[in-house]
Amino acid sequence: MDKPEAESNMGTSVMNKENYSGRSWKQKELFFLVTYVLVFYVIIIRRSLQLSHDHYTKLFGLRPGWLIPHHLNDVSDAQWRNFRGNLPVLTLVFGVFTLLANLMRAFFNLKVRGMSIIWLLFSFVYLSYLHGACVIFVLSIATINFLLVKIFARKKYFPLILWSYNIFFLVCNRIYEGYSFSMFGQQWRFLDNSRGSFRWHICFNFVVLRMISFGLEYHWTNEDSHFDLEKHSQRCHICKSGNTCYQALQERSLHVDKFGYVVYLCYLVYAPLYIAGPIVSFNAFASQLDVPQNSSSVRDVILYGFRWLLCFILMELMTHLFYYNAFANSGLWKHLSAMDVFIIGYGVLNFMWLKFLLIWRFFRFWSLVNGIEAPENMPKCINNCHSLEGFWKNWHASFNKWLVRYMYIPLGGSRKKLLNVWVVFTFVAIWHDLEWKLLSWAWLTCLFFIPELVLKSSAKAFQAQSSFREFVFRELSAVAGAVTITCLMVANLVGFVIGPSGINWLLSSFLHKEGLPVLGGLLTTFYVGTKLMFHIEEVKKTSP
């Protein structure tokens, strides 16, 4: 054997040994990580049960439970209480509308215009029950938006007109709390007595997103699409199988004939997605009126509904056993130890995630059954996100897709990322509500984004050319993940629970003699959790 060949074999042998030792080390690490996580959740569950048992008499929003005997149920969250209380009515409406719509589609072989008329009629019945006479406000604002689109869509300055109009009503609707008919004359005052069962201006936030989608998609009809359908079909397993995925539906150019008033109104008030989304683009919606979605089979849709039912039972178990939200609402947690504050804060965020998952999946399931696919809003568990960018791609994911398509990319995309996030998150805060705590949440999130973006750009230049450098990079990434998760918890608690006035209390709970060990413990726990997520990502990459 000559010298070069011997050296080559020796190098291969060394690499094989390094790979073997790396795998062996990762297996041992994984065993430790799983053990740590199991111990962590045992401690969290035991302490949560103890807190709920010791303090339930001082909490507000607890009602007699049904799932577990002699246990109260935490229904202190108004949004969850309303959704849960209206589930029987929603399910009945779901069943009747679905049956009638599908019978008519099959019997009359309806396409885009026909199905849009059917769904429009059904949706107006639904809206009349929800909003009563306030449907007039919805139709008036929507009709003016349609006229603006048709008149100015071919102008270069059209996006400015569209955004200005929609943001104006987004703000005015909240300032005037949906208006009163008496504002337009005392002769209309009698209509204020029939405002329906649900505030129209809350749902209208979603209508605003749809009006902007319709306007911009119409504006872009004459522009060349940068979407390579052939390249996409080679990578997408849904399109490979002969079906059409949501992204392909969204990127597909529609003929101008599809942008009619009836289809537009149907898109805005489509019953299954009207109250809470998920948000579907106009292109994807109109395409599926013609040909119902085929990316999910009947079996897939049934399994999706069954999984929703299991998640609902999990939520009921959670609210019967752990009164996290009641602790936060009552303010009682402010008088507890730092460890208990962390447990309740962590529990509240998990409760919020599961609440939104159930609400969004219920309406998405309804839409799927009727042939309209919308993006999954919670594709990933809240406990499986270690970066801000990853978190926002998997929390209200359809809204994230909307923001990327209609705001982020038109503003310059990744070329102006550090500036774009401020505009995008400020809009998101205003879209949710006109509250300082939401603006605080938005700007805190932007501040936390900056170091992550800097680190990611630096990481691209870092090449792990040896096992040691790979180890160092992995450890630094895990530490960064732990800090990011902590920042996410702080930002979301400030934005949706305690408000900006509670920042000082939250920091003082951990930045003192008794709180510092807890802060160190939670950072260690998030470090361990991040490393476990790395293992999960590696398994997904290697699995077929």
Short mmCIF file of all heavy atoms in Angstrom, two decimals, residues 155-213:
data_model
loop_
_atom_site.label_atom_id
_atom_site.label_comp_id
_atom_site.label_asym_id
_atom_site.label_seq_id
_atom_site.Cartn_x
_atom_site.Cartn_y
_atom_site.Cartn_z
N LYS A 155 -52.99 51.50 -9.83
CA LYS A 155 -52.10 52.61 -9.53
C LYS A 155 -50.95 52.15 -8.64
O LYS A 155 -51.11 51.26 -7.81
CB LYS A 155 -52.86 53.75 -8.83
CG LYS A 155 -54.14 54.19 -9.53
CD LYS A 155 -53.85 54.88 -10.84
CE LYS A 155 -55.15 55.40 -11.48
NZ LYS A 155 -54.89 56.00 -12.80
N LYS A 156 -49.78 52.80 -8.79
CA LYS A 156 -48.61 52.43 -7.99
C LYS A 156 -48.82 52.73 -6.51
O LYS A 156 -48.28 52.04 -5.65
CB LYS A 156 -47.37 53.17 -8.50
CG LYS A 156 -46.86 52.64 -9.83
CD LYS A 156 -45.57 53.34 -10.24
CE LYS A 156 -45.05 52.78 -11.57
NZ LYS A 156 -43.80 53.44 -11.99
N TYR A 157 -49.59 53.77 -6.22
CA TYR A 157 -49.80 54.18 -4.84
C TYR A 157 -50.98 53.43 -4.19
O TYR A 157 -51.39 53.76 -3.07
CB TYR A 157 -50.05 55.69 -4.76
CG TYR A 157 -51.12 56.21 -5.68
CD1 TYR A 157 -52.48 56.14 -5.34
CD2 TYR A 157 -50.78 56.81 -6.90
CE1 TYR A 157 -53.46 56.61 -6.18
CE2 TYR A 157 -51.77 57.29 -7.75
CZ TYR A 157 -53.12 57.19 -7.39
OH TYR A 157 -54.10 57.66 -8.22
N PHE A 158 -51.54 52.45 -4.88
CA PHE A 158 -52.70 51.73 -4.34
C PHE A 158 -52.45 51.09 -2.97
O PHE A 158 -53.31 51.20 -2.09
CB PHE A 158 -53.15 50.65 -5.34
CG PHE A 158 -54.14 49.69 -4.75
CD1 PHE A 158 -55.44 50.08 -4.49
CD2 PHE A 158 -53.76 48.39 -4.42
CE1 PHE A 158 -56.35 49.19 -3.92
CE2 PHE A 158 -54.66 47.50 -3.86
CZ PHE A 158 -55.96 47.90 -3.61
N PRO A 159 -51.30 50.42 -2.74
CA PRO A 159 -51.08 49.82 -1.40
C PRO A 159 -51.22 50.83 -0.27
O PRO A 159 -51.75 50.50 0.80
CB PRO A 159 -49.66 49.27 -1.49
CG PRO A 159 -49.46 48.97 -2.94
CD PRO A 159 -50.20 50.06 -3.66
N LEU A 160 -50.78 52.08 -0.50
CA LEU A 160 -50.91 53.12 0.53
C LEU A 160 -52.38 53.42 0.81
O LEU A 160 -52.78 53.55 1.98
CB LEU A 160 -50.19 54.39 0.07
CG LEU A 160 -50.24 55.59 1.04
CD1 LEU A 160 -49.56 55.24 2.35
CD2 LEU A 160 -49.59 56.81 0.41
N ILE A 161 -53.20 53.51 -0.22
CA ILE A 161 -54.64 53.76 -0.05
C ILE A 161 -55.29 52.60 0.71
O ILE A 161 -56.06 52.80 1.66
CB ILE A 161 -55.32 53.94 -1.43
CG1 ILE A 161 -54.82 55.20 -2.11
CG2 ILE A 161 -56.84 53.96 -1.28
CD1 ILE A 161 -55.34 55.39 -3.53
N LEU A 162 -54.96 51.37 0.28
CA LEU A 162 -55.56 50.18 0.89
C LEU A 162 -55.21 50.08 2.38
O LEU A 162 -56.10 49.87 3.23
CB LEU A 162 -55.07 48.94 0.15
CG LEU A 162 -55.66 47.59 0.61
CD1 LEU A 162 -57.12 47.49 0.23
CD2 LEU A 162 -54.88 46.42 0.01
N TRP A 163 -53.93 50.23 2.70
CA TRP A 163 -53.50 50.11 4.10
C TRP A 163 -54.07 51.25 4.95
O TRP A 163 -54.50 51.02 6.08
CB TRP A 163 -51.97 50.10 4.16
CG TRP A 163 -51.37 48.77 3.89
CD1 TRP A 163 -50.84 48.33 2.72
CD2 TRP A 163 -51.26 47.67 4.81
NE1 TRP A 163 -50.40 47.05 2.84
CE2 TRP A 163 -50.64 46.61 4.11
CE3 TRP A 163 -51.61 47.50 6.13
CZ2 TRP A 163 -50.38 45.39 4.71
CZ3 TRP A 163 -51.35 46.27 6.73
CH2 TRP A 163 -50.74 45.24 6.02
N SER A 164 -54.07 52.45 4.41
CA SER A 164 -54.59 53.61 5.17
C SER A 164 -56.07 53.41 5.50
O SER A 164 -56.50 53.66 6.64
CB SER A 164 -54.40 54.91 4.37
OG SER A 164 -53.05 55.14 4.09
N TYR A 165 -56.84 52.99 4.51
CA TYR A 165 -58.27 52.78 4.71
C TYR A 165 -58.53 51.72 5.78
O TYR A 165 -59.35 51.93 6.70
CB TYR A 165 -58.92 52.37 3.39
CG TYR A 165 -60.40 52.05 3.49
CD1 TYR A 165 -61.34 53.07 3.49
CD2 TYR A 165 -60.84 50.73 3.59
CE1 TYR A 165 -62.70 52.78 3.59
CE2 TYR A 165 -62.19 50.43 3.69
CZ TYR A 165 -63.12 51.46 3.69
OH TYR A 165 -64.46 51.17 3.80
N ASN A 166 -57.84 50.61 5.69
CA ASN A 166 -58.10 49.51 6.61
C ASN A 166 -57.60 49.78 8.03
O ASN A 166 -58.26 49.42 9.00
CB ASN A 166 -57.49 48.21 6.06
CG ASN A 166 -58.36 47.60 4.98
OD1 ASN A 166 -59.30 46.89 5.26
ND2 ASN A 166 -58.04 47.88 3.72
N ILE A 167 -56.43 50.40 8.15
CA ILE A 167 -55.93 50.73 9.48
C ILE A 167 -56.82 51.80 10.13
O ILE A 167 -57.06 51.77 11.35
CB ILE A 167 -54.46 51.19 9.42
CG1 ILE A 167 -53.56 50.00 9.07
CG2 ILE A 167 -54.01 51.82 10.74
CD1 ILE A 167 -52.10 50.33 8.87
N PHE A 168 -57.34 52.73 9.31
CA PHE A 168 -58.24 53.76 9.84
C PHE A 168 -59.45 53.11 10.51
O PHE A 168 -59.81 53.46 11.64
CB PHE A 168 -58.70 54.67 8.69
CG PHE A 168 -59.76 55.66 9.08
CD1 PHE A 168 -59.44 56.81 9.79
CD2 PHE A 168 -61.09 55.43 8.74
CE1 PHE A 168 -60.42 57.71 10.16
CE2 PHE A 168 -62.09 56.33 9.11
CZ PHE A 168 -61.75 57.47 9.82
N PHE A 169 -60.08 52.16 9.84
CA PHE A 169 -61.27 51.52 10.43
C PHE A 169 -60.89 50.54 11.55
O PHE A 169 -61.66 50.36 12.50
CB PHE A 169 -62.10 50.82 9.35
CG PHE A 169 -63.03 51.77 8.65
CD1 PHE A 169 -62.74 52.22 7.37
CD2 PHE A 169 -64.16 52.25 9.28
CE1 PHE A 169 -63.58 53.12 6.73
CE2 PHE A 169 -65.01 53.14 8.65
CZ PHE A 169 -64.71 53.58 7.37
N LEU A 170 -59.73 49.95 11.45
CA LEU A 170 -59.26 49.09 12.53
C LEU A 170 -59.18 49.87 13.85
O LEU A 170 -59.60 49.38 14.90
CB LEU A 170 -57.88 48.52 12.16
CG LEU A 170 -57.31 47.41 13.03
CD1 LEU A 170 -58.14 46.14 12.91
CD2 LEU A 170 -55.87 47.11 12.62
N VAL A 171 -58.66 51.09 13.76
CA VAL A 171 -58.52 51.95 14.95
C VAL A 171 -59.87 52.53 15.37
O VAL A 171 -60.25 52.48 16.55
CB VAL A 171 -57.50 53.07 14.68
CG1 VAL A 171 -57.46 54.06 15.84
CG2 VAL A 171 -56.10 52.48 14.45
N CYS A 172 -60.62 53.07 14.40
CA CYS A 172 -61.91 53.71 14.72
C CYS A 172 -62.92 52.72 15.31
O CYS A 172 -63.68 53.07 16.23
CB CYS A 172 -62.50 54.36 13.47
SG CYS A 172 -61.66 55.88 12.99
N ASN A 173 -62.92 51.51 14.79
CA ASN A 173 -63.85 50.50 15.32
C ASN A 173 -63.65 50.28 16.81
O ASN A 173 -64.61 50.08 17.56
CB ASN A 173 -63.67 49.17 14.59
CG ASN A 173 -64.13 49.23 13.14
OD1 ASN A 173 -64.75 50.20 12.72
ND2 ASN A 173 -63.83 48.19 12.38
N ARG A 174 -62.38 50.29 17.25
CA ARG A 174 -62.09 50.06 18.66
C ARG A 174 -62.32 51.31 19.50
O ARG A 174 -62.78 51.24 20.63
CB ARG A 174 -60.65 49.57 18.83
CG ARG A 174 -60.35 48.25 18.15
CD ARG A 174 -61.39 47.18 18.43
NE ARG A 174 -61.44 46.79 19.80
CZ ARG A 174 -60.94 45.65 20.29
NH1 ARG A 174 -60.37 44.80 19.48
NH2 ARG A 174 -61.05 45.37 21.57
N ILE A 175 -61.99 52.49 18.95
CA ILE A 175 -62.19 53.74 19.70
C ILE A 175 -63.68 53.96 19.98
O ILE A 175 -64.07 54.31 21.10
CB ILE A 175 -61.60 54.94 18.93
CG1 ILE A 175 -60.07 54.84 18.89
CG2 ILE A 175 -62.05 56.26 19.55
CD1 ILE A 175 -59.41 55.91 18.03
N TYR A 176 -64.52 53.73 18.97
CA TYR A 176 -65.96 53.96 19.11
C TYR A 176 -66.73 52.70 19.48
O TYR A 176 -67.96 52.70 19.45
CB TYR A 176 -66.51 54.57 17.82
CG TYR A 176 -65.96 55.94 17.52
CD1 TYR A 176 -64.95 56.11 16.58
CD2 TYR A 176 -66.41 57.06 18.20
CE1 TYR A 176 -64.41 57.37 16.31
CE2 TYR A 176 -65.89 58.32 17.95
CZ TYR A 176 -64.88 58.47 17.01
OH TYR A 176 -64.36 59.72 16.76
N GLU A 177 -65.99 51.63 19.83
CA GLU A 177 -66.61 50.37 20.28
C GLU A 177 -67.71 49.90 19.33
O GLU A 177 -68.81 49.52 19.75
CB GLU A 177 -67.16 50.52 21.70
CG GLU A 177 -66.08 50.57 22.78
CD GLU A 177 -65.31 49.25 22.89
OE1 GLU A 177 -65.95 48.18 22.86
OE2 GLU A 177 -64.07 49.31 22.98
N GLY A 178 -67.41 49.93 18.04
CA GLY A 178 -68.37 49.42 17.05
C GLY A 178 -69.44 50.41 16.65
O GLY A 178 -70.37 50.05 15.91
N TYR A 179 -69.36 51.64 17.12
CA TYR A 179 -70.31 52.71 16.78
C TYR A 179 -71.72 52.41 17.34
O TYR A 179 -72.00 51.30 17.78
CB TYR A 179 -70.40 52.94 15.25
CG TYR A 179 -69.08 52.91 14.55
CD1 TYR A 179 -68.70 51.83 13.75
CD2 TYR A 179 -68.18 53.95 14.71
CE1 TYR A 179 -67.48 51.80 13.11
CE2 TYR A 179 -66.95 53.93 14.08
CZ TYR A 179 -66.60 52.84 13.28
OH TYR A 179 -65.38 52.81 12.66
N SER A 180 -72.54 53.43 17.30
CA SER A 180 -73.96 53.26 17.63
C SER A 180 -74.75 53.86 16.48
O SER A 180 -74.31 54.83 15.84
CB SER A 180 -74.31 53.96 18.94
OG SER A 180 -74.11 55.36 18.82
N PHE A 181 -75.92 53.32 16.20
CA PHE A 181 -76.72 53.82 15.09
C PHE A 181 -77.22 55.24 15.34
O PHE A 181 -77.46 56.00 14.41
CB PHE A 181 -77.90 52.87 14.83
CG PHE A 181 -77.49 51.59 14.15
CD1 PHE A 181 -77.26 50.43 14.89
CD2 PHE A 181 -77.31 51.54 12.78
CE1 PHE A 181 -76.89 49.25 14.27
CE2 PHE A 181 -76.93 50.36 12.15
CZ PHE A 181 -76.72 49.22 12.90
N SER A 182 -77.36 55.58 16.61
CA SER A 182 -77.84 56.92 16.96
C SER A 182 -76.85 58.01 16.53
O SER A 182 -77.22 59.19 16.42
CB SER A 182 -78.11 57.02 18.46
OG SER A 182 -76.93 56.73 19.19
N MET A 183 -75.56 57.63 16.30
CA MET A 183 -74.57 58.59 15.81
C MET A 183 -74.97 59.16 14.44
O MET A 183 -74.58 60.27 14.08
CB MET A 183 -73.18 57.92 15.67
CG MET A 183 -72.51 57.59 16.99
SD MET A 183 -71.01 56.58 16.74
CE MET A 183 -70.01 57.68 15.74
N PHE A 184 -75.74 58.39 13.68
CA PHE A 184 -76.11 58.79 12.32
C PHE A 184 -77.51 59.40 12.27
O PHE A 184 -78.05 59.61 11.18
CB PHE A 184 -76.02 57.57 11.39
CG PHE A 184 -74.67 56.90 11.44
CD1 PHE A 184 -74.47 55.78 12.25
CD2 PHE A 184 -73.61 57.39 10.71
CE1 PHE A 184 -73.23 55.16 12.30
CE2 PHE A 184 -72.37 56.78 10.76
CZ PHE A 184 -72.16 55.67 11.57
N GLY A 185 -78.09 59.63 13.43
CA GLY A 185 -79.43 60.23 13.49
C GLY A 185 -80.32 59.48 14.46
O GLY A 185 -80.26 58.24 14.53
N GLN A 186 -81.14 60.21 15.18
CA GLN A 186 -82.01 59.59 16.19
C GLN A 186 -83.04 58.65 15.57
O GLN A 186 -83.54 57.74 16.25
CB GLN A 186 -82.73 60.68 17.00
CG GLN A 186 -81.81 61.48 17.92
CD GLN A 186 -81.08 60.59 18.90
OE1 GLN A 186 -81.70 59.78 19.60
NE2 GLN A 186 -79.74 60.73 18.97
N GLN A 187 -83.34 58.84 14.28
CA GLN A 187 -84.31 57.95 13.63
C GLN A 187 -83.80 56.52 13.51
O GLN A 187 -84.58 55.58 13.29
CB GLN A 187 -84.72 58.49 12.26
CG GLN A 187 -83.62 58.49 11.20
CD GLN A 187 -82.84 59.79 11.19
OE1 GLN A 187 -82.69 60.43 12.23
NE2 GLN A 187 -82.33 60.18 10.02
N TRP A 188 -82.45 56.34 13.65
CA TRP A 188 -81.86 54.99 13.55
C TRP A 188 -81.57 54.38 14.93
O TRP A 188 -81.03 53.29 15.01
CB TRP A 188 -80.56 55.03 12.75
CG TRP A 188 -80.69 55.66 11.40
CD1 TRP A 188 -80.19 56.84 10.99
CD2 TRP A 188 -81.42 55.11 10.30
NE1 TRP A 188 -80.53 57.09 9.69
CE2 TRP A 188 -81.29 56.04 9.22
CE3 TRP A 188 -82.16 53.94 10.09
CZ2 TRP A 188 -81.88 55.82 7.98
CZ3 TRP A 188 -82.74 53.74 8.86
CH2 TRP A 188 -82.60 54.66 7.83
N ARG A 189 -81.96 55.07 15.97
CA ARG A 189 -81.61 54.64 17.33
C ARG A 189 -82.20 53.26 17.66
O ARG A 189 -81.60 52.49 18.43
CB ARG A 189 -82.11 55.69 18.32
CG ARG A 189 -81.62 55.46 19.74
CD ARG A 189 -81.97 56.63 20.63
NE ARG A 189 -81.41 56.46 21.95
CZ ARG A 189 -81.45 57.37 22.91
NH1 ARG A 189 -82.04 58.54 22.69
NH2 ARG A 189 -80.92 57.14 24.09
N PHE A 190 -83.37 52.95 17.11
CA PHE A 190 -84.03 51.67 17.42
C PHE A 190 -83.17 50.47 17.03
O PHE A 190 -83.29 49.38 17.61
CB PHE A 190 -85.40 51.61 16.73
CG PHE A 190 -85.32 51.42 15.23
CD1 PHE A 190 -85.44 50.16 14.66
CD2 PHE A 190 -85.14 52.52 14.40
CE1 PHE A 190 -85.37 49.99 13.29
CE2 PHE A 190 -85.06 52.36 13.02
CZ PHE A 190 -85.17 51.10 12.46
N LEU A 191 -82.27 50.66 16.05
CA LEU A 191 -81.42 49.55 15.62
C LEU A 191 -80.38 49.16 16.68
O LEU A 191 -79.84 48.05 16.65
CB LEU A 191 -80.70 49.91 14.31
CG LEU A 191 -81.58 50.02 13.06
CD1 LEU A 191 -80.77 50.55 11.89
CD2 LEU A 191 -82.20 48.67 12.72
N ASP A 192 -80.09 50.08 17.62
CA ASP A 192 -79.14 49.77 18.69
C ASP A 192 -79.67 48.69 19.63
O ASP A 192 -78.90 48.13 20.42
CB ASP A 192 -78.81 51.04 19.49
CG ASP A 192 -77.90 51.98 18.72
OD1 ASP A 192 -77.02 51.48 18.00
OD2 ASP A 192 -78.08 53.21 18.83
N ASN A 193 -80.96 48.43 19.55
CA ASN A 193 -81.56 47.38 20.39
C ASN A 193 -81.38 45.99 19.79
O ASN A 193 -81.72 44.99 20.43
CB ASN A 193 -83.05 47.65 20.62
CG ASN A 193 -83.27 48.95 21.38
OD1 ASN A 193 -82.52 49.27 22.30
ND2 ASN A 193 -84.31 49.70 20.99
N SER A 194 -80.89 45.92 18.56
CA SER A 194 -80.66 44.60 17.95
C SER A 194 -79.25 44.53 17.39
O SER A 194 -79.03 44.59 16.18
CB SER A 194 -81.70 44.32 16.86
OG SER A 194 -81.89 45.42 16.03
N ARG A 195 -78.30 44.45 18.32
CA ARG A 195 -76.88 44.40 17.94
C ARG A 195 -76.33 42.97 17.96
O ARG A 195 -75.10 42.77 17.84
CB ARG A 195 -76.05 45.28 18.87
CG ARG A 195 -76.43 46.77 18.79
CD ARG A 195 -75.53 47.62 19.67
NE ARG A 195 -74.17 47.69 19.15
CZ ARG A 195 -73.74 48.59 18.29
NH1 ARG A 195 -74.58 49.51 17.82
NH2 ARG A 195 -72.49 48.60 17.88
N GLY A 196 -77.20 41.97 18.10
CA GLY A 196 -76.75 40.58 18.07
C GLY A 196 -76.12 40.12 19.37
O GLY A 196 -76.15 40.83 20.39
N SER A 197 -75.52 38.93 19.32
CA SER A 197 -74.96 38.31 20.54
C SER A 197 -73.45 38.45 20.64
O SER A 197 -72.86 38.06 21.64
CB SER A 197 -75.33 36.82 20.57
OG SER A 197 -74.80 36.17 19.41
N PHE A 198 -72.81 39.00 19.59
CA PHE A 198 -71.35 39.05 19.55
C PHE A 198 -70.92 40.38 18.95
O PHE A 198 -71.46 40.81 17.93
CB PHE A 198 -70.81 37.89 18.70
CG PHE A 198 -69.40 37.52 18.99
CD1 PHE A 198 -69.09 36.58 19.96
CD2 PHE A 198 -68.36 38.10 18.28
CE1 PHE A 198 -67.78 36.23 20.22
CE2 PHE A 198 -67.05 37.76 18.54
CZ PHE A 198 -66.75 36.81 19.52
N ARG A 199 -69.96 41.06 19.59
CA ARG A 199 -69.53 42.38 19.11
C ARG A 199 -68.88 42.27 17.73
O ARG A 199 -67.84 41.62 17.57
CB ARG A 199 -68.55 42.99 20.11
CG ARG A 199 -69.18 43.35 21.46
CD ARG A 199 -68.16 43.90 22.42
NE ARG A 199 -67.16 42.89 22.76
CZ ARG A 199 -66.03 43.15 23.42
NH1 ARG A 199 -65.74 44.39 23.78
NH2 ARG A 199 -65.18 42.18 23.71
N TRP A 200 -69.45 42.97 16.77
CA TRP A 200 -69.00 42.83 15.38
C TRP A 200 -67.58 43.33 15.17
O TRP A 200 -66.84 42.77 14.36
CB TRP A 200 -69.96 43.57 14.44
CG TRP A 200 -69.84 45.07 14.48
CD1 TRP A 200 -70.48 45.92 15.33
CD2 TRP A 200 -69.00 45.88 13.65
NE1 TRP A 200 -70.11 47.22 15.08
CE2 TRP A 200 -69.20 47.24 14.05
CE3 TRP A 200 -68.11 45.63 12.61
CZ2 TRP A 200 -68.54 48.30 13.45
CZ3 TRP A 200 -67.44 46.69 12.00
CH2 TRP A 200 -67.66 48.00 12.41
N HIS A 201 -67.19 44.40 15.90
CA HIS A 201 -65.88 44.99 15.65
C HIS A 201 -64.73 44.12 16.13
O HIS A 201 -63.58 44.32 15.73
CB HIS A 201 -65.78 46.39 16.28
CG HIS A 201 -66.05 46.43 17.74
ND1 HIS A 201 -67.32 46.33 18.28
CD2 HIS A 201 -65.21 46.55 18.81
CE1 HIS A 201 -67.25 46.41 19.59
NE2 HIS A 201 -65.99 46.53 19.94
N ILE A 202 -65.02 43.13 17.00
CA ILE A 202 -63.99 42.17 17.40
C ILE A 202 -63.69 41.22 16.23
O ILE A 202 -62.53 41.00 15.87
CB ILE A 202 -64.44 41.36 18.64
CG1 ILE A 202 -64.77 42.30 19.81
CG2 ILE A 202 -63.37 40.35 19.04
CD1 ILE A 202 -63.63 43.14 20.30
N CYS A 203 -64.74 40.68 15.62
CA CYS A 203 -64.56 39.80 14.46
C CYS A 203 -64.01 40.56 13.26
O CYS A 203 -63.33 39.97 12.41
CB CYS A 203 -65.89 39.17 14.06
SG CYS A 203 -66.61 38.08 15.28
N PHE A 204 -64.29 41.85 13.19
CA PHE A 204 -63.91 42.62 12.01
C PHE A 204 -62.39 42.73 11.85
O PHE A 204 -61.91 43.02 10.75
CB PHE A 204 -64.54 44.02 12.06
CG PHE A 204 -64.60 44.68 10.73
CD1 PHE A 204 -65.58 44.34 9.81
CD2 PHE A 204 -63.67 45.64 10.35
CE1 PHE A 204 -65.64 44.93 8.56
CE2 PHE A 204 -63.72 46.25 9.10
CZ PHE A 204 -64.71 45.89 8.20
N ASN A 205 -61.64 42.51 12.91
CA ASN A 205 -60.18 42.50 12.78
C ASN A 205 -59.74 41.48 11.74
O ASN A 205 -58.80 41.72 10.97
CB ASN A 205 -59.53 42.19 14.13
CG ASN A 205 -59.58 43.38 15.08
OD1 ASN A 205 -60.33 44.31 14.86
ND2 ASN A 205 -58.80 43.35 16.12
N PHE A 206 -60.39 40.32 11.73
CA PHE A 206 -60.07 39.29 10.73
C PHE A 206 -60.55 39.71 9.34
O PHE A 206 -59.91 39.41 8.33
CB PHE A 206 -60.70 37.95 11.13
CG PHE A 206 -60.00 37.29 12.27
CD1 PHE A 206 -60.46 37.44 13.56
CD2 PHE A 206 -58.87 36.52 12.07
CE1 PHE A 206 -59.81 36.84 14.63
CE2 PHE A 206 -58.20 35.92 13.13
CZ PHE A 206 -58.68 36.08 14.42
N VAL A 207 -61.70 40.41 9.29
CA VAL A 207 -62.21 40.89 8.00
C VAL A 207 -61.23 41.88 7.38
O VAL A 207 -61.01 41.88 6.16
CB VAL A 207 -63.60 41.54 8.18
CG1 VAL A 207 -64.10 42.12 6.86
CG2 VAL A 207 -64.60 40.51 8.70
N VAL A 208 -60.61 42.72 8.21
CA VAL A 208 -59.59 43.67 7.72
C VAL A 208 -58.46 42.92 7.02
O VAL A 208 -58.01 43.34 5.93
CB VAL A 208 -59.05 44.53 8.89
CG1 VAL A 208 -57.74 45.20 8.50
CG2 VAL A 208 -60.07 45.56 9.31
N LEU A 209 -57.99 41.84 7.61
CA LEU A 209 -56.91 41.06 6.99
C LEU A 209 -57.34 40.51 5.63
O LEU A 209 -56.56 40.49 4.68
CB LEU A 209 -56.48 39.92 7.91
CG LEU A 209 -55.97 40.31 9.30
CD1 LEU A 209 -55.54 39.07 10.08
CD2 LEU A 209 -54.81 41.30 9.23
N ARG A 210 -58.60 40.09 5.55
CA ARG A 210 -59.10 39.53 4.29
C ARG A 210 -59.28 40.62 3.24
O ARG A 210 -59.02 40.40 2.05
CB ARG A 210 -60.42 38.79 4.54
CG ARG A 210 -60.26 37.58 5.45
CD ARG A 210 -61.58 36.86 5.69
NE ARG A 210 -61.43 35.96 6.83
CZ ARG A 210 -62.13 36.03 7.96
NH1 ARG A 210 -63.03 36.97 8.12
NH2 ARG A 210 -61.91 35.17 8.93
N MET A 211 -59.71 41.81 3.67
CA MET A 211 -59.87 42.91 2.71
C MET A 211 -58.53 43.32 2.13
O MET A 211 -58.41 43.61 0.93
CB MET A 211 -60.55 44.11 3.40
CG MET A 211 -62.00 43.86 3.75
SD MET A 211 -62.96 45.38 4.11
CE MET A 211 -62.07 46.07 5.48
N ILE A 212 -57.49 43.32 2.97
CA ILE A 212 -56.15 43.66 2.48
C ILE A 212 -55.64 42.57 1.54
O ILE A 212 -55.05 42.86 0.49
CB ILE A 212 -55.19 43.86 3.66
CG1 ILE A 212 -55.57 45.12 4.45
CG2 ILE A 212 -53.73 43.95 3.18
CD1 ILE A 212 -54.81 45.30 5.75
N SER A 213 -55.89 41.31 1.88
CA SER A 213 -55.47 40.20 1.02
C SER A 213 -56.13 40.30 -0.35
O SER A 213 -55.46 40.18 -1.39
CB SER A 213 -55.84 38.87 1.68
OG SER A 213 -55.58 37.79 0.81
#
